[in-house]
């Protein structure tokens, strides 16, 4: 069926180009996940806070390799785009930031992130989200980025605020967790935002 308005971003834009490395700050970049990052991924998903908010566990290096390969497939399918937040002095990931539910035609995506426990508390998440949002608006051409978190996750709410995502409201019983349904804050940031 013919569509009556043009796509915000032409399908094929992501899949036709290699995933870039995005600078964040001194000694901090976003780069694509690599197979060699598997041990860090296993370590990250052993953290109770990451398990609590991301509902996943990786039990082996093989599972981590599959997880990393899946991130690459998301880029190729143009449905998600995930980066390792990397300390350039070691070239090791200290966290993950990405876009999920990417809709190029509608110009939207959703931001998500986690950090290894040792990387928390020094603004790494908010600076990484800002760098990703600027890339998503300026280079990819999305119009709207959403960020959702449980009302029981105040640190994530602070990241949203520091990264310029306005609060738009509370979504009742929006996500099922291991302790039941959680209300979620909806935040969003619009282009031009950088
Ligand atoms: C949420 C997370 C990414 C925040 O990363 P971070 O780099 O430590 O965040 P920042 O250093 O930018 O700090 C965020 C703010 O939250 C505050 N904060 C941290 N833990 C908090 C807590 N338990 N309760 C309330 N505020 C908290 C910090 O003091 C800081 O406040 P400030 O902006 O007034 O300085 C990190 O804690 C994490 O990976 N948590 C586990 C996974 C997760 O929650 N992912 C997000 C799911 S939506």
């Amino acid at each position: 069926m013919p569509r009556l308005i043009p796509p915000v971003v032409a399908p094929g834009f992501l899949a036709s180009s290699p995933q870039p490395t995005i600078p964040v700050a001194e000694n901090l970049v976003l780069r694509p996940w690599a197979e060699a990052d598997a041990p860090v991924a296993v370590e990250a998903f052993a953290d109770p806070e990451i398990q609590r908010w991301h509902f996943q566990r990786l039990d082996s290096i093989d599972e981590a390799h599959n997880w990393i390969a899946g991130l690459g497939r998301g880029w190729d399918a143009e449905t998600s785009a995930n980066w390792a937040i990397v300390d350039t002095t070691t070239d090791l990931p200290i966290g993950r930031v990405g876009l999920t539910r990417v809709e190029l035609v509608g110009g939207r995506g959703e931001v998500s992130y986690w950090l290894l426990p040792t990387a928390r508390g020094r603004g790494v998440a908010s600076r990484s989200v800002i760098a990703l949002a600027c890339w998503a608006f300026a280079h990819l051409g999305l119009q709207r980025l959403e960020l959702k978190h449980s009302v029981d996750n105040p640190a994530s709410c602070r990241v949203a605020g520091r990264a310029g995502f306005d609060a738009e409201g509370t979504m009742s019983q929006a996500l099922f967790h291991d302790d039941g349904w959680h209300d979620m804050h909806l935040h969003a940031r619009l282009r031009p935002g950088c």
Side-chain angles (χ1 to χ4, degrees):
M1 187 183 290
R3 193 177 148 84
L4 298 177
I5 55 170
V8 178
V9 178
F13 187 94
L14 284 180
S16 64
S17 47
Q19 188 174 355
T21 293
I22 301 170
V24 176
E26 195 181 353
N27 298 334
L28 206 58
V29 298
L30 311 182
R31 67 143 167 80
W33 283 87
E35 210 176 350
D37 298 327
V40 178
V42 171
E43 179 190 343
F45 280 100
D47 172 56
E49 285 295 298
I50 292 177
Q51 290 186 3
R52 174 160 164 71
W53 300 119
H54 299 272
F55 319 131
Q56 265 181 314
R57 211 177 65 196
L58 291 175
D59 288 334
S60 68
I61 294 292
D62 273 355
E63 277 190 13
H65 284 154
N66 288 337
W67 178 75
I68 290 167
L71 302 182
R73 285 194 297 274
W75 177 272
D76 293 339
E78 305 193 310
T79 52
S80 61
N82 279 276
W83 282 261
I85 304 168
V86 169
D87 177 344
T88 57
T89 62
T90 61
D91 195 36
L92 288 173
I94 56 173
R96 179 203 137 249
V97 67
L99 300 175
T100 60
R101 298 187 173 88
V102 173
E103 291 175 44
L104 295 184
V105 170
R108 288 186 296 269
E110 189 173 322
V111 175
S112 106
Y113 41 80
W114 49 252
L115 293 183
L116 290 171
T118 49
R120 294 176 193 161
R122 44 191 161 97
V124 169
S126 38
R127 280 181 290 164
S128 299
V129 170
I130 290 168
L132 174 57
C134 290
W135 176 84
F137 292 134
H139 293 276
L140 182 54
L142 298 186
Q143 178 64 23
R144 173 181 168 89
L145 288 179
E146 295 186 347
L147 193 165
K148 297 170 189 160
H149 65 82
S150 164
V151 297
D152 289 345
N153 191 346
S156 195
C157 198
R158 291 292 302 144
V159 171
R162 286 172 68 155
F165 284 68
D166 292 336
E168 293 195 335
T170 302
M171 303 160 66
S172 299
Q173 299 192 3
L175 201 58
F176 190 64
H177 288 61
D178 59 2
D179 59 351
W181 289 97
H182 281 221
D183 294 350
M184 309 277 288
H185 282 167
L186 169 64
H187 299 254
R189 183 167 166 173
L190 306 178
R191 186 175 66 160
C194 300

